[in-house]
Amino acid sequence: MKESMNHEEFPTETPAVVTCGLPYANGDLHIGHLRGYIGADAFNRSLRTLGQQSAYVCGSDMHGTPVAVNAEKEGVDPEAFALEWHEQYEETFPQFNVEFDNYGHTHDETNTELTREIVRTLDEEGHIYEKEIQVAYDPDADQYLPDRYVVGTCPYCGEKARGDECDEGCQRHLEPGEVEDPKSSITGNSAEYRERTHKFFRVSAFEEYLTEFLDGLEGTSNARNQPRQWIEDGLQDWCITRDMEWGIDYPAEATDDLVLYVWVDAPIEYIASTKQYTERVGADKYDWEAVWKDEGEIVHVIGRDIIQHHAIFWPAMLEGADYNTPRAIAATGFITINGKGLSTSRNRAIWANEYLDEGFHPDLLRYYLTTTGGLQQDVDFSWDAFQEKVNGELVGNVGNFLYRSLLFAHRNYEGTPDADVSEEVASRIEGAIEEFREGVNDYSLRTVARSALELTKFGNEYIQRNEPWKLTDDEPERAAEVIRDCVQIAKATAVLFEPVAPDKAQQVWEQLGEDGAVADAHLKDALAAPPRSFDEPSELFSKVEDDRVAELDEKLEAKIATASEDDVTTEDGEDEESTSEREAADEAPTAADLEPIADERISFEEFLELDMRVGRIETAEGIEGADELVRLEVDIGVETRQIVAGLKQLHDVDELPGTQVIVMANLEPAELFGVESNGMVLAAGEEADLLTTLGDAGPGTKVK
Ligand SMILES: [Zn+2]
């Protein structure tokens, strides 16, 4: 379901680059971060399996106030501070099979030079101008207060905000001077405003360009819809300098005391890192200029809190400096833990090293994070759900099928039996290949993973239906055919599963007696004959036991409890975050945050007048011209209703069909964007969390 017809399907003739938002080099990585890096890694691997030339690049974000503030707290030099984290990330990512073709950092020479060159070009092309602005200043600390050095109130939504972003409210980027009631985060003093001359990038001049750019942009719908709204509200020019020492100097002599805003040089690292990759392997193997200056396929995976930087500022910069612009932006939702927002200050998080210390294989987490929700949905992590995924899908389906069929093949044929693959199985594998291909082109990693999972489900069903163990004596030829089919399904599974679970897929590959790396295999290899002989296989996955889950839950609760005690005594609210995956803003609301209960009570009779029914969404589609609305057909038992609901930015529309919902059935019909809405689908809160049922009440059941 491609929304744009501008792009040729993957694989294309031109090279691709896949990036993930840079981690701020200022703290440990947790599964909220990992979701993005794993997702982008799996996408890059999927492209390669399709036969697309592709590179996966990233780097640490060394600059900006998130790093400077934390370094200052520890009393160390920001460069040394950031480098230490950078080195840790270089070690951590491969432990989750996140394999970058190049991993640089924003303070290295390549990025520094490229940044200055791009800014110089923007200046020469007339996209940069000077303006006097009011800048927050702390008289006691005798310093200016850029970005995170200042806290206050968001002028748009009234929530608590940081200097450059409304992180707890509307998530808008904030310009210097916009925060109301500014206080210094160093001393807590009210900030003064002082007049300073700064450099501005004329984003407003790119309005027409950006509108067109968004029309052709692939990826997730949130990366198009929100920016369209921002353009409609009017684009502001963007202050690109800061009164700081840490950062890349503005490339002009007269501006010695200004550095570039971190969001100028951070995305340029995507280019710099690609360039470093080319410098290492040679342009004949991978040409960074073919990607960034010609017509390459640029795919950004980011957290949804940094959509504005990637879908507005970044393409405007690239266009202004005469670079190629992104083909796709996939903006992921956040991670919640046991249904509550991940919070590093409250230690409600699963840290990267914690997960590994528990001895779980990285591919289990990769599988969990890529299959639990669509890319743009928030994904909840709990050890219970983790156990269910591992035991049900990986042990019960994938592992079970592979082990039983390869063991049978080894014992009876010492490998692949001498027979042809049946038409039924060949066409089932072709179906899985097609599903994989569609998944990649839809930026749906869940579909990519499902192509392998469903194939093993079919395999289990196929082996059960044909009972080869009963055939070996009386119908040996038929038995050989069935097992030959199963071995082919196993090989296809390895190829299709590699992007999501690279290690496990490699194990299957080796069990099949294949040489080389399954990562180098292409889709057509799923149908190629496996080697004649192979050794006895071993089991790929093992169950997560109940007492293990209980123990893990206890540990998690205990550390959250300890952190909340600490919270009372210290006032350390500064969370370590990244530019790629911020923690969920939807912390469990405290009583003070919630709307008060309505004063007026209604009678039981009045309540009975509300006719609420269980419904099932049959179809869902966006409504032209309406950014948020979706037209639903909802089966409410007695009839199917057309209902318009504001779910488009918050849910993956393709995932809605099949969802059980609660419908307010006797609400007056209304017309929205020319479409009649006959009822209302009930949902909770700003995130439109859909109401559903726990049991098996079918469509039409009355809610009372
Ligand atoms: Zn706000």
Side-chain angles (χ1 to χ4, degrees):
M1 291 248 248
K2 305 232 300 185
E3 300 203 18
S4 141
M5 303 309 286
N6 296 0
H7 304 281
E8 224 182 294
E9 289 223 330
F10 292 118
T12 62
E13 294 295 315
T14 45
V17 69
V18 178
T19 74
C20 190
L22 313 185
Y24 273 133
N26 74 342
D28 281 312
L29 299 172
H30 54 64
I31 64 167
H33 304 113
L34 289 172
R35 182 187 186 190
Y37 299 106
I38 287 172
D41 179 78
F43 190 75
N44 181 54
R45 289 172 186 270
S46 306
L47 285 175
R48 286 179 176 170
T49 304
L50 283 188
Q52 170 84 41
Q53 192 194 13
S54 181
Y56 181 26
V57 303
C58 193
S60 302
D61 191 346
M62 309 280 280
H63 298 139
T65 54
V67 170
V69 166
N70 282 7
E72 195 168 308
K73 266 188 202 165
E74 294 197 7
V76 294
D77 168 61
E79 181 169 1
F81 174 85
L83 267 177
E84 202 169 306
W85 286 112
H86 169 71
E87 282 159 18
Q88 185 174 318
Y89 300 162
E90 283 185 311
E91 276 176 36
T92 304
F93 286 125
Q95 292 178 302
F96 288 87
N97 295 326
V98 170
E99 279 176 16
F100 297 111
D101 291 300
N102 193 72
Y103 190 80
H105 66 71
T106 57
H107 198 65
D108 64 27
E109 213 183 300
T110 317
N111 192 56
T112 305
E113 276 178 15
L114 201 58
T115 298
R116 297 169 131 244
E117 188 187 308
I118 286 175
V119 171
R120 238 180 265 124
T121 307
L122 290 173
D123 202 359
E124 283 161 16
E125 298 291 320
H127 300 304
I128 291 176
Y129 62 92
E130 276 186 355
K131 197 168 95 177
E132 307 264 308
I133 54 165
Q134 301 291 321
V135 174
Y137 181 82
D138 184 336
D140 286 349
D142 188 25
Q143 74 169 75
Y144 288 99
L145 300 170
D147 307 329
R148 291 196 191 186
Y149 279 104
V150 68
V151 290
T153 309
C154 172
Y156 298 99
C157 72
E159 287 293 324
K160 206 176 115 190
R162 288 171 164 160
D164 64 338
E165 65 165 331
C166 176
D167 60 322
E168 291 183 20
C170 62
Q171 302 195 349
R172 251 177 246 253
H173 163 82
L174 301 176
E175 283 289 299
E178 276 200 299
V179 165
E180 292 169 355
D181 271 332
K183 291 205 164 48
S184 162
S185 70
I186 314 167
T187 58
N189 294 336
S190 288
E192 291 175 1
Y193 273 121
R194 294 197 174 181
E195 196 163 81
R196 297 277 294 160
T197 303
H198 275 271
K199 299 282 184 180
F200 279 75
F201 174 44
R202 215 182 297 272
V203 179
S204 57
F206 290 85
E207 184 181 312
E208 203 177 317
Y209 169 76
L210 289 169
T211 305
E212 216 171 279
F213 164 77
L214 290 170
D215 286 342
L217 186 67
E218 295 184 352
T220 52
S221 59
N222 53 353
R224 291 183 293 273
N225 295 340
Q226 281 190 333
R228 281 182 179 136
Q229 190 59 50
W230 291 322
I231 291 176
E232 218 165 277
D233 294 347
L235 291 175
Q236 277 192 60
D237 290 340
W238 191 38
C239 181
I240 54 164
T241 43
R242 292 294 186 267
D243 297 283
M244 273 175 82
E245 277 171 24
W246 180 234
I248 296 177
D249 290 336
Y250 189 87
E253 280 163 30
T255 52
D256 275 352
D257 46 354
L258 294 181
V259 297
L260 285 160
Y261 179 41
V262 62
W263 275 106
V264 176
D265 63 90
I268 292 172
E269 170 65 13
Y270 298 142
I271 309 177
S273 194
T274 321
K275 188 177 177 205
Q276 286 173 336
Y277 177 51
T278 296
E279 283 165 357
R280 217 176 55 242
V281 299
D284 48 334
K285 187 165 179 228
Y286 187 93
D287 183 1
W288 73 279
E289 287 183 301
V291 176
W292 287 102
K293 295 194 168 170
D294 293 338
E295 299 277 285
E297 322 288 354
I298 301 163
V299 177
H300 295 307
V301 176
I302 58 168
R304 70 156 187 247
D305 56 320
I306 50 173
I307 290 174
Q308 198 169 359
H309 308 88
H310 284 81
I312 300 281
F313 302 144
W314 177 231
M317 266 168 63
L318 288 168
E319 174 69 9
D322 209 17
Y323 275 77
N324 186 17
T325 49
R327 165 175 175 150
I329 298 176
T332 68
F334 297 136
I335 293 279
T336 56
I337 306 284
N338 289 339
K340 292 180 183 172
L342 187 154
S343 164
T344 53
S345 59
R346 289 169 211 206
N347 212 357
R348 195 187 304 113
I350 308 290
W351 301 96
N353 60 347
E354 247 176 6
Y355 175 87
L356 296 169
D357 287 348
E358 293 296 345
F360 292 117
H361 194 281
D363 285 357
L364 307 186
L365 185 67
R366 290 176 66 102
Y367 183 78
Y368 184 98
L369 292 175
T370 45
T371 58
T372 300
L375 259 184
Q376 63 174 301
Q377 287 171 311
D378 288 351
V379 159
D380 187 52
F381 182 90
S382 70
W383 288 112
D384 282 301
F386 179 77
Q387 178 195 34
E388 204 178 303
K389 275 257 166 211
V390 171
N391 293 1
E393 294 173 11
L394 295 179
V395 177
N397 272 302
V398 183
N400 181 35
F401 167 74
L402 293 167
Y403 183 65
R404 76 200 284 204
S405 47
L406 296 189
L407 187 65
F408 196 94
H410 169 73
R411 288 201 177 149
N412 291 278
Y413 309 97
E414 286 168 357
T416 311
D418 187 14
D420 289 330
V421 175
S422 71
E423 246 174 62
E424 181 192 359
V425 165
S427 89
R428 181 62 188 77
I429 292 173
E430 272 162 24
I433 289 174
E434 200 37 51
E435 191 181 9
F436 182 102
R437 200 193 309 273
E438 277 172 22
V440 180
N441 278 291
D442 285 347
Y443 303 88
S444 169
L445 294 170
R446 197 147 56 145
T447 307
V448 167
R450 195 169 53 206
S451 70
L453 174 70
E454 293 296 324
L455 190 59
T456 60
K457 276 190 189 167
F458 166 83
N460 275 319
E461 182 266 323
Y462 184 77
I463 203 166
Q464 210 60 40
R465 164 157 52 97
N466 288 291
E467 304 183 303
W469 47 90
K470 287 188 182 166
L471 300 170
T472 41
D473 293 337
D474 302 336
E475 293 178 71
E477 278 184 20
R478 179 65 194 132
E481 278 168 17
V482 172
I483 293 303
R484 175 68 185 81
D485 278 346
C486 290
V487 174
Q488 195 65 51
I489 295 172
K491 179 165 175 176
T493 302
V495 174
L496 300 177
F497 208 38
E498 189 276 334
V500 170
D503 265 3
K504 294 294 179 181
Q506 180 63 27
Q507 270 183 52
V508 181
W509 198 245
E510 285 165 17
Q511 289 184 6
L512 283 164
E514 295 281 357
D515 289 330
V518 67
D520 297 332
H522 290 167
L523 282 178
K524 62 176 174 1
D525 296 314
L527 283 161
R532 173 64 198 88
S533 70
F534 51 80
D535 296 335
E536 182 168 332
S538 55
E539 296 201 54
L540 276 192
F541 301 103
S542 51
K543 275 196 172 176
V544 181
E545 301 297 340
D546 291 345
D547 53 355
R548 200 69 224 291
V549 172
E551 177 202 318
L552 290 162
D553 272 339
E554 238 169 71
K555 273 192 201 171
L556 180 60
E557 274 168 39
K559 71 173 192 177
I560 294 170
T562 312
S564 355
E565 279 166 25
D566 291 351
D567 226 20
V568 180
T569 50
T570 69
E571 234 184 278
D572 180 18
E574 188 66 32
D575 280 356
E576 293 144 349
E577 290 168 8
S578 84
T579 42
S580 83
E581 271 283 347
R582 209 177 52 88
E583 63 197 43
D586 50 345
E587 288 277 346
T590 61
D593 297 331
L594 295 170
E595 273 179 59
I597 302 287
D599 280 339
E600 203 135 319
R601 299 288 176 124
I602 61 166
S603 68
F604 185 62
E605 285 68 29
E606 283 169 309
F607 169 72
L608 286 181
E609 285 174 20
L610 306 177
D611 191 352
M612 289 183 280
R613 301 298 181 108
V614 174
R616 189 176 55 233
I617 298 176
E618 299 293 353
T619 64
E621 59 180 38
I623 292 175
E624 196 156 341
D627 280 345
E628 297 178 356
L629 300 180
V630 185
R631 192 187 73 85
L632 306 169
E633 297 273 354
V634 185
D635 176 8
I636 55 164
V638 280
E639 59 193 61
T640 297
R641 289 282 187 87
Q642 171 171 294
I643 298 177
V644 176
L647 302 173
K648 194 160 142 194
Q649 297 191 333
L650 303 154
H651 297 267
D652 187 343
V653 174
D654 295 341
E655 306 289 348
L656 287 171
T659 308
Q660 185 124 313
V661 290
I662 305 299
V663 172
M664 183 64 207
N666 65 333
L667 190 72
E668 287 183 333
E671 205 179 277
L672 296 155
F673 277 79
V675 182
E676 192 189 58
S677 181
N678 194 2
M680 180 191 276
V681 171
L682 300 186
E686 301 284 306
E687 296 287 303
D689 193 353
L690 286 168
L691 265 58
T692 186
T693 58
L694 280 176
D696 52 7
T701 312
K702 198 163 164 41
V703 177
K704 51 188 183 183

